[in-house]
Amino acid sequence: MFLLPALACFGYFAWWPIGRSVVLALQQTNLVDPARWVGLRNFEVLFADPLLPTAVLNTLWYTVLSLLIGLPAPLVLAVLISELRRFGAPARVLVYLPVIVPPVVSVLLWKIFYDPDSGLINAVLGLVGLGPYPWLQSPAWAMPSLVVEATWAGAGGAVLIYLAALVAVPRELYEAAETDGASIARRVWHVMLPQLRGVILVLLLLQIIGCLQVFTEPYVMTDGGPENATVTVLLMIYRYAFLFGDYGTATALSVLLAVALAVVSALYLRLTRGWSSR
């Protein structure tokens, strides 16, 4: 009885839209006129789109790059900040500052930084005789450029979580490792990382889910270009719905993405079951 109001609220605002989306994926509608039942036609249109494999591969490539860059970076920053004695508080503020910046503002700011002619990054590299590089104009450089911006914008939250977890690590473990003559690298590998295993697993899952739903960076910074090198699944959903007015196909792709995320999450949780307690 105590849980009933919360369950009703959650069911109405979370599960009911999911069920409604499944129905909408089997209809053709503009959300104004009465919907027309078309069955699996929306999925047939979707799978016939030659851009779909490109969007899926781009999304997976973005996820891989984000895990390679965005997963270790917050942990390294947290370890470095935890070792600071006098400037720990200012460092925490500075590392979290990008999170406060609105996402669109952050993307537009970095779009200026990436400008091939007058951007800050090429200007700095030019001082050492490098560049200029077409960061957002080259299919090879565009996706890594988006990942770097997204890592800068979102790493602050993970850093604070790691710092909070580091506080809970017993100091006796560090002191015992130091007494045994363990180096900093060994203390991190054998003491710190095992104690943070549970936090790392949770943040890794959240990052995978977030990366597979990336939209703001490719939409604002490159609009899917150049040469469709940054078109993602969520960007295709946006185009189907708000550019083509095909809400049924857009919802069909949304349902497929939701199913894929559910499968990935279930497999991840099953494979990592018990890791945090080892």
Side-chain angles (χ1 to χ4, degrees):
M1 293 299 295
F2 284 113
L3 287 174
L4 188 59
L7 292 176
C9 183
F10 182 79
Y12 182 79
F13 289 103
W15 290 106
W16 168 249
I18 294 176
R20 186 68 183 89
S21 297
V22 174
V23 175
L24 187 61
L26 304 175
Q27 298 176 334
Q28 183 178 4
T29 178
N30 58 5
L31 301 182
V32 177
D33 300 324
R36 183 166 61 90
W37 190 268
V38 295
L40 299 177
R41 176 184 172 277
N42 291 328
F43 293 92
E44 295 174 357
V45 172
L46 183 62
F47 288 123
D49 191 336
L51 191 58
L52 179 61
T54 301
V56 173
L57 291 177
N58 287 342
T59 304
L60 294 177
W61 178 230
Y62 178 90
T63 303
V64 171
L65 289 177
S66 296
L67 295 179
L68 293 176
I69 299 174
L71 184 65
L75 182 58
V76 172
L77 286 174
V79 172
L80 294 177
I81 294 175
S82 66
E83 296 296 326
L84 295 177
R85 294 295 181 263
R86 297 180 56 186
F87 303 102
R92 287 174 172 83
V93 174
L94 290 176
V95 78
Y96 192 73
L97 196 59
V99 181
I100 303 175
V101 180
V104 175
V105 175
S106 174
V107 173
L108 292 176
L109 180 65
W110 275 80
K111 189 174 183 179
I112 297 174
F113 290 166
Y114 283 135
D115 188 274
D117 299 321
S118 58
L120 176 63
I121 297 177
N122 278 335
V124 173
L125 293 177
L127 298 177
V128 294
L130 298 176
Y133 297 102
W135 299 107
L136 301 179
Q137 293 72 33
S138 169
W141 286 101
M143 191 64 79
S145 300
L146 299 187
V147 171
V148 170
E149 184 280 330
T151 301
W152 174 86
V159 171
L160 292 187
I161 294 175
Y162 283 132
L163 286 172
L166 287 173
V167 174
V169 178
R171 297 299 304 177
E172 295 81 4
L173 297 178
Y174 292 114
E175 294 172 358
E178 292 178 1
T179 302
D180 293 337
S183 62
I184 296 179
R186 287 185 174 273
R187 292 201 299 269
V188 170
W189 183 259
H190 294 288
V191 177
M192 184 180 298
L193 291 182
Q195 296 295 318
L196 298 180
R197 187 184 292 116
V199 177
I200 293 175
L201 292 177
V202 172
L203 291 180
L204 175 58
L205 176 60
L206 294 178
Q207 185 167 353
I208 292 174
I209 294 174
C211 290
L212 293 176
Q213 300 181 86
V214 60
F215 172 75
T216 304
E217 286 78 12
Y219 173 67
V220 177
M221 192 174 287
T222 61
D223 195 26
E227 302 176 10
N228 294 323
T230 57
V231 172
T232 61
V233 173
L234 223 62
L235 187 57
M236 280 194 65
I237 294 174
Y238 168 82
R239 289 178 175 179
Y240 271 119
F242 300 105
L243 295 185
F244 308 146
D246 192 350
Y247 294 98
T249 305
T251 309
L253 184 53
S254 301
V255 170
L256 292 179
L257 178 61
V259 172
L261 291 175
V263 171
V264 169
S265 301
L267 289 176
Y268 180 90
L269 293 174
R270 183 171 183 83
L271 291 175
T272 59
R273 181 184 299 173
W275 284 11
S276 60
S277 59
R278 291 181 184 176

